Amino acid sequence: MTDNKLQKGLSKRHVFFIAFGSAIGTGLFYGSAAAIKLAGPSVLFAYCIAGAAVFMVMRALGEMALHEPSAGSFGYYATNFIGPLAGFITGWTYVFEMALVCLTDITAFATYMDFWYQGVSPWIWTLGITLIITAINLAAVKIYGELEFWLSAVKITAIIAMILAGIVILIFGLNYSHHTSAGLHNLWSNGGWMPNGWFGFMACFSVVVFAFGGIEIIGLTAIETKDAERNIPKSINAIPLRILLFYIMTLTMLMSIYPWDKIGLEGSPFVTIFNSIGIKSAANIFNIVVITAAISAINSDMYGASRMMYGLAQEGQTLRKLNYLSKNGTPVSAVLVMFLVLVLGVVLNYFYHDGLFFFIAAMATFATVLVWLMILLSQFCMRMKLPKTEIASLQYPIPFWPIGPILTILFMIFTIVVIGIIPETRVALYIGIIWIIFLVGCFYLAKKINKNKMVNLVSK
């Protein structure tokens, strides 16, 4: 290990756009089609509910991050405020989550490229993007931040353009078939607001929550952010506006322009809709945007996972070699571990591209919810341990304490139950339970090995 430390190379604009980028990714541009299929227009309410829960999670993380900044972020907080086992499970589940999300994102990237280059094997695209993203993450953190700034800027500009274009289409009208026309009536005229009933509405949360997965990366940026005391709260406070603008308004326009029951799962719904209504140039432009979103997501996933592994190594909860930093302050060993994970994704895309996205997305949802649940429990335990004077002096206290966090914890438990109820995602819950049992076994095995080493050293 070198004597270098993680560098404070992220500025205000970097963190702000990283926060934007983490909230806008494959879950919106690709996964939203599955959520719409399950719930119909009522999916808008689901995004509002999930968005409120995510805001509470981020406020809980923000409270801890500003009270006690740490390289391991929420993994460290779980260790410090709940216990070492909780920290071990939280940290490694986050790495597991990011690994799964990375696999879904490179799979989605290959699907997007198929829009232009049909017949090219998906594994070629996944391998190419894996090599590019790994090279970026081996560079200084400032380069990562700069790339995320521009990639997120493209996404934000495109979504605003999409909303404005939707408004224009709704005002002036657009008939794209003999039977249907664009208009707000498409939100309720194809089976009503909740066409698949309450079960369909509840089932969509297994996909909706996935869309917000990875947003907790803001907590990991705290130690590499200049003036974190000001910039982190500003980024977190903008989350409600992002959810309203980039999810609710975008999907409202999407389902108004095109009937929700005709939105398929072949590629991004944004691209297929514009392609179906005959606006070929818009379809091509949006394909560029969704490709940009996928690259941004993969970039952030690798960053988040590598920083968490570095933090776990700092706490002695993984191999010490993952603690190694390059001269520019990059956790090289941790980045290379993620590279190997993506290579696995390349192999999976070679043998099993079709259906891979939604199977892995379901597992990623479980991991995401578990991490968020541990963040909320860590913050709760921190509050219980802190003296009243220290609580009063918190720089960024969570709102609606304690009702808000309690309701959010119940929502996370509800989402896990939903994953288990739905036949298509039930296997993800089984794998998640096996994962937790595996981590518990690894924790106590490592503890026993370390104890035996200490006994041998003392005896010598």
Side-chain angles (χ1 to χ4, degrees):
M1 185 186 75
T2 70
D3 294 328
N4 300 302
K5 296 180 180 179
L6 293 174
Q7 305 296 310
K8 288 189 176 292
L10 299 177
S11 65
K12 176 183 176 181
R13 66 185 176 90
H14 290 151
V15 175
F16 191 71
F17 276 83
I18 287 170
F20 267 105
S22 60
I24 311 162
T26 311
L28 172 63
F29 288 117
Y30 187 56
S32 57
I36 291 170
K37 279 290 184 184
L38 288 167
S42 66
V43 74
L44 299 174
F45 301 118
Y47 275 106
C48 286
I49 295 168
V54 170
F55 178 64
M56 291 302 297
V57 172
M58 294 311 300
R59 285 300 302 261
L61 180 56
E63 178 178 294
M64 293 185 291
L66 294 188
H67 174 68
E68 195 172 341
S70 168
S73 189
F74 39 88
Y76 168 81
Y77 303 135
T79 298
N80 202 32
F81 301 125
I82 302 177
L85 176 59
F88 186 81
I89 291 174
T90 303
W92 279 110
T93 300
Y94 177 73
V95 174
F96 183 55
E97 173 198 346
M98 289 296 96
L100 291 171
V101 174
C102 260
L103 296 180
T104 60
D105 288 334
I106 64 172
T107 302
F109 176 81
T111 302
Y112 300 153
M113 295 303 293
D114 188 62
F115 179 74
W116 290 323
Y117 304 99
Q118 295 178 7
V120 176
S121 183
W123 74 267
I124 295 175
W125 299 118
T126 55
L127 178 60
I129 196 62
T130 293
L131 294 173
I132 292 170
I133 295 299
T134 302
I136 292 167
N137 274 266
L138 288 173
V141 69
K142 185 177 181 180
I143 295 175
Y144 158 77
E146 199 65 30
L147 180 66
E148 273 305 294
F149 170 79
W150 290 108
L151 291 174
S152 296
V154 170
K155 289 189 286 187
I156 292 165
T157 303
I159 289 178
I160 292 172
M162 159 74 186
I163 293 170
L164 293 176
I167 292 172
V168 170
I169 290 173
L170 292 180
I171 292 174
F172 294 101
L174 176 67
N175 294 316
Y176 44 81
S177 74
H178 297 296
H179 308 288
T180 319
S181 61
L184 290 174
H185 64 274
N186 284 322
L187 294 174
W188 58 79
S189 60
N190 299 293
W193 283 99
M194 204 175 288
N196 296 324
W198 281 102
F199 183 80
F201 176 70
M202 290 189 295
C204 82
F205 280 99
S206 63
V207 182
V208 168
V209 171
F210 169 75
F212 297 110
I215 199 169
E216 63 276 8
I217 195 174
I218 300 173
L220 288 165
T221 66
I223 202 166
E224 294 181 271
T225 301
K226 300 171 184 175
D227 197 11
E229 293 78 10
R230 292 180 56 197
N231 295 328
I232 297 297
K234 286 182 179 179
S235 298
I236 293 174
N237 289 339
I239 288 174
L241 177 62
R242 289 199 296 273
I243 291 167
L244 179 65
L245 180 63
F246 298 118
Y247 279 90
I248 309 306
M249 289 190 68
T250 302
L251 293 180
T252 297
M253 290 300 164
L254 199 70
M255 291 185 288
S256 297
I257 293 172
Y258 204 73
W260 72 268
D261 56 343
K262 290 182 173 59
I263 297 174
L265 300 177
E266 296 80 23
S268 169
F270 294 81
V271 176
T272 53
I273 285 173
F274 280 111
N275 200 36
S276 298
I277 63 180
I279 309 178
K280 301 292 183 181
S281 59
N284 282 301
I285 291 170
F286 254 95
N287 204 47
I288 294 172
V289 173
V290 296
I291 285 170
T292 301
I295 294 171
S296 170
I298 300 164
N299 195 31
S300 291
D301 299 340
M302 183 172 281
Y303 169 88
S306 63
R307 266 52 180 185
M308 178 57 73
M309 281 188 277
Y310 171 80
L312 287 167
Q314 289 280 80
E315 295 296 312
Q317 293 185 327
T318 186
L319 298 174
R320 285 291 179 185
K321 288 184 179 180
L322 294 177
N323 205 8
Y324 177 80
L325 293 176
S326 65
K327 291 181 179 178
N328 59 20
T330 301
V332 176
S333 301
V335 170
L336 292 178
V337 168
M338 284 304 295
F339 167 73
L340 294 176
V341 170
L342 290 184
V343 169
L344 173 62
V346 173
V347 175
L348 288 173
N349 271 277
Y350 180 80
F351 290 105
Y352 183 63
H353 175 72
D354 297 332
L356 184 62
F357 179 91
F358 295 105
F359 175 70
I360 298 178
M363 290 194 294
T365 301
F366 173 85
T368 298
V369 173
L370 182 60
V371 168
W372 289 350
L373 184 60
M374 296 306 290
I375 289 172
L376 290 163
L377 292 174
S378 298
Q379 185 270 339
F380 211 94
C381 291
M382 183 189 80
R383 281 289 190 108
M384 294 297 99
K385 290 181 178 181
L386 290 179
K388 290 183 178 180
T389 52
E390 206 165 336
I391 292 174
S393 64
L394 288 170
Q395 297 180 55
Y396 191 50
I398 191 171
F400 312 116
W401 169 266
I403 301 300
I406 290 173
L407 290 176
T408 311
I409 288 170
L410 292 175
F411 173 77
M412 297 305 160
I413 295 171
F414 159 78
T415 305
I416 292 174
V417 171
V418 167
I419 293 172
I421 289 175
I422 302 170
E424 291 80 6
T425 59
R426 191 173 297 147
V427 66
L429 179 61
Y430 296 152
I431 293 172
I433 293 171
I434 293 170
W435 169 253
I436 294 173
I437 294 171
F438 170 73
L439 288 180
V440 172
C442 288
F443 177 82
Y444 284 108
L445 179 63
K447 193 174 180 180
K448 185 176 180 180
I449 292 171
N450 290 333
K451 185 178 179 180
N452 290 337
K453 284 183 179 179
M454 290 298 295
V455 171
N456 290 334
L457 285 172
V458 171
S459 63
K460 288 179 180 180

